[in-house]
Amino acid sequence: IFESLRSDLVLFLKVSALVYVFFEYIASLTVCVGPSMEPVIHASGDVVLIDKLHTARFGVRKGDIVVLRSPVDHRVDVCKRVVAVEGEPVPGRSGQFVGKGMLWVEGDNKHNSTDSRSYGQVPQALVLGRVKYRVYPWRYVGALE
């Protein structure tokens, strides 16, 4: 009986380690709530898949939807679109450019979004990953662009 229990414990630990590695370094799920990314992401909350591995290896590009720690409150994650990356002009601010290691992010719903227009450039290090798929609600499951 002890051998069976030991075998079950080893299997549990292996599976737990794989799950941890997957959600910590490869991908994870989060809920994006609020009106700032409407109509792409619904204000009532969409569950999205965050691609962490691609982001860690290749960074983010202009046009990517990302989940990042809020530069105002690091306990909160926000979903925004990358509008400009390092070296590119800051939208609507003549003569200003995005600094080294920084991003300019905005919500798609320009009239109802707190974003870089309010808090300025954000460090790329705050990005948790890029959003590639909506997994819930079921009727809207699919890739996001």
Side-chain angles (χ1 to χ4, degrees), residues 61-121:
R61 297 177 304 191
K62 185 176 182 176
D64 284 348
I65 300 172
V66 295
V67 173
L68 64 144
R69 296 264 184 245
S70 168
V72 178
D73 181 354
H74 292 301
R75 296 170 297 170
V76 177
D77 297 339
V78 295
C79 298
K80 304 293 177 191
R81 188 175 300 274
V82 177
V83 177
V85 297
E86 178 179 319
E88 293 185 338
V90 173
R93 303 203 180 177
S94 181
Q96 292 185 15
F97 293 86
V98 177
K100 183 175 176 75
M102 304 297 275
L103 300 170
W104 190 268
V105 296
E106 294 181 6
D108 287 356
N109 183 357
K110 304 283 188 232
H111 301 293
N112 199 358
S113 178
T114 302
D115 49 37
S116 286
R117 294 170 299 157
S118 302
Y119 44 68
Q121 300 179 35

Side-chain angles (χ1 to χ4, degrees), residues 118-140:
S118 302
Y119 44 68
Q121 300 179 35
V122 297
Q124 189 165 343
L126 293 181
V127 174
L128 302 175
R130 66 184 185 146
V131 175
K132 291 306 289 181
Y133 298 97
R134 177 183 5 249
V135 297
Y136 187 83
W138 303 120
R139 64 182 172 181
Y140 298 115

